[in-house]
Amino acid sequence: MEAKLLQETDRCLHCGSCLSVCPLVNAGVLGSPKKIGVYAAKDARKVNHIITTPFNCTFCLACVNVCPVNLPTPEVVKRLRGRIKHSKSIEQLVENVRSSGNIFGMGNDERGIWSIELDFPLEERIDAKAEVGYFVGCNSAFAPSLSGIPVANVTLLERAKVNYMLISDEKCCGMPLVMAGEEGVLAEIAKSNVEEYRKRGVKVLVTSCPACLRAWKELYPKVVKVPFKVQHTSQFLLDLITKNKIKLSKIDRKVAYQDPCELARGCGIVKEPRLLIKETGALLLEFKEKGLEAECCGGGGLLRATNPQTSTKLAFSKLKEAKLLGAEAIITACPACKQNLLKAGGNIAILDVGELLLAALPSNP
Ligand code: SF4
Ligand code: SF4
């Protein structure tokens, strides 16, 4: 299976299309595309710098999007990551997921720490029977700078009177392990997460993390039956607004929307976040590259852990473009994007689309 995947690279036409869209090449990390093109001419397997630098990849899927022969470069990169000795930060991350059930190595019983910011009790929702399950994801659950994401989402669900629940024993979705080339415990994680929601009667599972979404939609079905629908929060919330279950007031703000790679190219979800932004009355400004062609912000593929300078450099370029557009805020729909854009600094607000909706939620329904 692995050998077959690596052989896939022999189908490469050396057209160089992938190099022109690769954020790591464009950031100058991997040398000039011309230089890599020379390698490519000598050895097809080097065309996407995959042999020497498998951790210099954000899994943005831009290469797959333009490749005329659909070469699965990110899949090859994942396999190669599993073959090399990992850096200390990656070793630690893998160990954290294995031993603690989350990427931070925190006590998994602290997953609900963000809920102290709520102005209503959440206890009765934990491990309750309900039709809708909310999967928070490690980043939103533990990173203080991201707590606004789950706070916004459950507040919106409350306002819409959705019968929802969360599980106390949520485990990392497993995608970070797969990104590190370590799929060993994925089946165990998937079975545990699915069972926790299944036994409580969940019919729809929602998450605001595109990486978690892809784990649930693409990886879990390979190892366990997922007996319910899985959606991104932007899809679920748009449906609630369309059905008039959430009423919003209008916001006077100019915002730019950053398509998360895993949500746009990974899941094909580009219109829902934009429609949600328009529902708030905010003026939507578009980056030059958007939707399926969007430029990666540098926050994916564990690049933040392995090459934070480049990760920040890519995010900074998005901040700069947003400023030139005249945006007062960048809206995204991914905790990893939000975190990476925040780390780049700058005096521009970075919000998840759920947080923008919350800002437009009237205090009196
Ligand atoms: S997934 Fe993105 S970062 Fe990785 S090789 Fe492809 S274009 Fe480059
Ligand atoms: S776009 Fe595809 S065919 Fe063209 S160089 Fe890249 S991997 Fe090879």
Side-chain angles (χ1 to χ4, degrees):
M1 167 77 178
E2 181 173 314
K4 203 173 157 210
L5 189 62
L6 293 175
Q7 268 173 13
E8 283 270 288
T9 56
D10 291 339
R11 292 195 291 112
C12 174
L13 305 173
H14 314 303
C15 68
S17 302
C18 54
L19 303 176
S20 64
V21 295
C22 177
L24 276 295
V25 172
N26 291 334
V29 176
L30 301 160
S32 71
K34 195 172 158 208
K35 194 171 167 196
I36 295 169
V38 172
Y39 287 143
K42 288 186 189 154
D43 182 349
R45 291 182 196 183
K46 285 182 182 166
V47 73
N48 275 340
H49 52 76
I50 52 180
I51 297 294
T52 51
T53 53
F55 274 91
N56 272 331
C57 172
T58 61
F59 292 140
C60 72
L61 305 171
C63 49
V64 182
N65 196 40
V66 298
C67 180
V69 291
N70 295 320
L71 211 129
T73 301
E75 290 307 313
V76 178
V77 171
K78 278 176 206 161
R79 290 285 181 269
L80 290 166
R81 285 184 176 189
R83 287 179 167 195
I84 62 168
K85 181 163 170 46
H86 290 161
S87 65
K88 283 210 165 50
S89 59
I90 296 298
E91 264 178 18
Q92 187 64 58
L93 181 142
V94 171
E95 176 52 28
N96 287 346
V97 175
R98 288 199 173 124
S99 60
S100 311
N102 63 76
I103 56 174
F104 299 103
M106 308 265 288
N108 224 26
D109 52 356
E110 291 173 46
R111 270 193 177 270
I113 187 78
W114 54 271
S115 64
I116 55 173
E117 294 175 32
L118 294 172
D119 55 10
F120 54 86
L122 198 67
E123 289 77 18
E124 63 190 41
R125 302 283 187 185
I126 309 296
D127 296 334
K129 290 208 171 215
E131 290 204 343
V132 177
Y134 178 44
F135 187 82
V136 182
C138 296
N139 275 321
S140 297
F142 290 107
S145 59
L146 300 177
S147 59
I149 298 176
V151 165
N153 284 314
V154 297
T155 305
L156 292 160
L157 294 176
E158 287 281 335
R159 182 63 67 91
K161 298 191 172 19
V162 171
N163 182 18
Y164 73 97
M165 56 80 74
L166 303 89
I167 54 171
S168 58
D169 192 23
E170 182 180 307
K171 291 189 170 57
C172 168
C173 68
M175 189 58 101
L177 295 180
V178 174
M179 285 181 180
E182 301 276 347
E183 292 188 24
V185 291
L186 180 73
E188 193 188 316
I189 288 174
K191 284 174 189 162
S192 168
N193 278 335
V194 169
E195 180 58 14
E196 289 296 313
Y197 291 103
R198 188 207 60 78
K199 68 187 182 193
R200 295 178 173 103
V202 162
K203 302 275 184 293
V204 186
L205 182 92
V206 292
T207 181
S208 39
C209 174
C212 297
L213 183 70
R214 291 190 73 206
W216 276 92
K217 285 178 85 79
E218 294 173 26
L219 303 179
Y220 287 15
K222 291 179 187 165
V223 291
V224 60
K225 183 172 174 355
V226 181
F228 38 75
K229 194 167 154 185
V230 181
Q231 286 194 316
H232 187 253
T233 39
S234 62
Q235 298 173 297
F236 193 78
L237 293 171
L238 182 63
D239 190 46
L240 292 176
I241 290 172
T242 307
K243 289 177 178 154
N244 255 333
K245 294 193 173 164
I246 301 175
K247 292 193 176 57
L248 301 173
S249 51
K250 297 296 175 197
I251 291 178
D252 180 17
R253 210 168 189 191
K254 290 184 220 158
V255 304
Y257 177 63
Q258 168 65 23
D259 285 278
C261 301
E262 299 225 53
L263 194 64
R265 284 184 285 273
C267 303
I269 298 173
V270 295
K271 75 174 191 306
E272 290 86 345
R274 288 177 168 79
L275 289 171
L276 287 174
I277 290 170
K278 286 180 181 163
E279 287 288 341
T280 68
L283 177 64
L284 174 61
L285 305 168
E286 294 282 10
F287 287 111
K288 187 162 159 274
E289 307 296 346
K290 60 177 196 255
L292 299 183
E293 278 78 45
E295 273 177 356
C296 177
C297 76
L302 307 178
L303 191 70
R304 179 98 241 140
T306 56
N307 189 342
Q309 293 86 351
T310 303
S311 206
T312 302
K313 186 175 174 183
L314 291 168
F316 189 71
S317 122
K318 299 310 298 182
L319 260 55
K320 212 166 125 193
E321 190 181 347
K323 275 282 183 194
L324 286 172
L325 284 172
E328 294 157 320
I330 297 180
I331 309 301
T332 188
C334 168
C337 293
K338 176 176 174 179
Q339 193 170 46
N340 201 43
L341 291 165
L342 282 172
K343 291 241 162 97
N347 55 352
I348 186 165
I350 314 290
L351 295 171
D352 186 85
V353 69
E355 294 175 289
L356 184 73
L357 293 176
L358 184 63
L361 200 64
S363 42
N364 295 313

